[in-house]
Amino acid sequence: MLKLEDRAVHKGQRRALVKTIQQKGIKDPAVLKAMETLPRHFFFDSALHSHAYEDKAFPIGEGQTISQPFTVAYQTELLEVMPGDKILEIGTGSGYQAAILYLLGAEVHSIEYQKKLYEKVRKFLPKLGIDVRFYYGDGTRGLPSAAPFDKIIVTAGAPVVPKELLKQLAVGGILVIPVGDRTTQKMLKLTKKTNKQIIREELDSFAFVPLLGEEGW
Ligand code: SAH
């Protein structure tokens, strides 16, 4: 039986976590508020609940992780989410990042490569009242059936920027993706000014699990 209880102690731990993230440089009030609202321990096995409000990545099965809260906040801030934005996420994992985007008012489409994680999350998130469209497959191919997207976020480390993703980004859209080798990556923010002009910003270093698939590892 799934037990979803958000107690005062969790809320207190969440406030402290948000403060830590803020001290690390996250400013966007909407992002901070969404992270203070969403109970991260719901995305953990009950045996690991005590770790849910540490600013750390954690195992979620199938060799994958729920991203570190700071990393979720960092990528989300870069996306400049506006209510109504159509967003594609590559790497659903636990569904936590997708849920944050939903709370910011976006229409979220999220793809996962591991069937078991996909099956788990698509049953679980509706129980929290969170409405995200989930897909099973290789996100390096994007999602042509729902393109173009206002924003695209990749939550696994890529060797290159998959061409399809840039193609499926709307003009004016933003793609946030960590690119590098298998152990460390630089966060890239790509803004599609016109069909021919992409502005590329190279930001901080991170360590994501590898992006698999056709244009992955
Ligand atoms: N956003 C997630 C973080 C998950 S870790 C969260 O909030 O919990 C990265 C995820 O990317 C893993 O679940 C992994 O299975 C998935 N992944 C790796 N390569 C992929 C691909 N080509 N397409 C879709 N998902 C992929």
Side-chain angles (χ1 to χ4, degrees):
M1 172 77 186
L2 189 65
K3 205 165 153 217
L4 298 174
E5 231 186 333
D6 190 27
R7 296 165 47 198
V9 56
H10 300 126
K11 293 192 174 91
Q13 288 173 334
R14 214 149 57 235
R15 267 196 300 277
L17 173 63
V18 166
K19 215 173 198 179
T20 303
I21 288 169
Q22 211 170 0
Q23 280 159 357
K24 290 183 180 177
I26 304 300
K27 294 192 184 71
D28 187 330
V31 174
L32 295 167
K33 183 168 171 237
M35 294 195 61
E36 189 165 334
T37 305
L38 185 64
R40 189 168 183 255
H41 66 283
F42 288 177
F43 295 78
F44 281 57
D45 282 346
S46 50
L48 297 172
H49 273 181
S50 61
H51 297 289
Y53 296 105
E54 293 167 10
D55 191 18
K56 287 186 185 152
F58 241 87
I60 52 169
E62 308 307 306
Q64 304 304 330
T65 56
I66 177 170
S67 297
Q68 182 181 346
F70 171 72
T71 306
V72 172
Y74 187 97
Q75 288 198 286
T76 308
E77 187 170 66
L78 288 176
L79 279 182
E80 301 174 20
V81 180
M82 307 285 284
D85 271 355
K86 197 207 283 187
I87 303 185
L88 175 64
E89 179 193 29
I90 319 297
T92 313
S94 67
Y96 179 81
Q97 170 76 72
I100 291 289
L101 297 172
Y102 170 81
L103 290 178
L104 290 169
E107 176 190 311
V108 186
H109 300 255
S110 184
I111 313 181
E112 173 57 50
Y113 205 48
Q114 303 287 339
K115 187 113 192 229
K116 278 193 185 156
L117 293 177
Y118 157 78
E119 295 289 1
K120 188 173 171 193
V121 84
R122 80 191 178 105
K123 287 186 198 117
F124 168 61
L125 274 212
K127 293 184 183 157
L128 303 183
I130 288 168
D131 181 17
V132 167
R133 285 143 234 216
F134 294 108
Y135 306 82
Y136 164 59
D138 175 9
T140 69
R141 318 301 302 147
L143 188 66
S145 61
F149 298 95
D150 301 304
K151 312 283 164 64
I152 301 179
I153 173 173
V154 180
T155 68
V160 292
V161 178
K163 283 184 288 299
E164 265 307 309
L165 298 186
L166 271 179
K167 222 187 262 176
Q168 293 175 29
L169 190 64
V171 170
I174 296 172
L175 166 61
V176 173
I177 178 170
V179 175
D181 60 31
R182 281 185 81 108
T183 50
T184 50
Q185 305 87 27
K186 282 265 189 284
M187 194 67 74
L188 302 186
K189 176 178 176 182
L190 303 170
T191 308
K192 193 173 193 173
K193 286 287 172 191
T194 67
N195 276 319
K196 288 194 183 129
Q197 195 201 3
I198 309 275
I199 302 210
R200 177 191 158 110
E201 294 166 74
E202 198 175 303
L203 304 158
D204 296 298
S205 291
F206 291 85
F208 282 82
V209 296
L211 180 73
L212 304 177
E214 191 128 338
E215 290 202 67
W217 292 100

